[in-house]
Amino acid sequence: MSGRRTLRIRGVAAGVAVLTVAAGLGVRTVADGAVAKYAGDALYTVLVCALVALCAPRARPLAVAGAGLGISWSVELLQLTGVPAELSERSTVARLVLGSTFNAPDLLWYAVGAAAAWAVCAATTSGAHAPRTAASR
């Protein structure tokens, strides 16, 4: 992958991260309850996927989405231990990143976010991972 393509992917990933945070804040201003919560869950995973793509721009879209989903699920399952709840009492950042209470439906909405991130990543990097043929060498 060329350096130019890597920079483009990183630029898109950074843009998606910023837009995702803005969308999350926007959802919170126009909606509440389950809509805001589950949209926030999906957007959380989109943000994690964008950060994965930013750090690993050569990763395939499925790997980016899988890593984002795995991280999101791990954070949710960590909530079963009570550690995030304890940290969330002391830190706003910990509350935003780790949450505090396990909620099984969140796992589904993280998968929705990973699927959306995969779609954006696949559309953005189409051709970036195509095998080189003899004609393209």
Side-chain angles (χ1 to χ4, degrees), residues 17-107:
V18 169
L19 289 173
T20 301
V21 170
L25 295 172
V27 166
R28 291 285 182 174
T29 62
V30 299
D32 58 0
V35 171
K37 175 170 181 12
Y38 295 128
D41 289 342
L43 289 169
Y44 176 88
T45 299
V46 171
L47 177 61
V48 171
C49 290
L51 296 175
V52 168
L54 188 64
C55 293
R58 294 176 186 228
R60 295 186 181 272
L62 188 58
V64 169
L69 181 59
I71 292 166
S72 297
W73 279 354
S74 295
V75 169
E76 188 69 26
L77 294 172
L78 182 65
Q79 293 171 356
L80 291 169
T81 68
V83 171
E86 185 177 319
L87 293 172
S88 292
E89 290 176 8
R90 298 183 203 151
S91 167
T92 302
V93 173
R95 186 174 63 245
L96 292 172
V97 174
L98 300 175
S100 61
T101 308
F102 176 79
N103 185 31
D106 291 353
L107 299 171

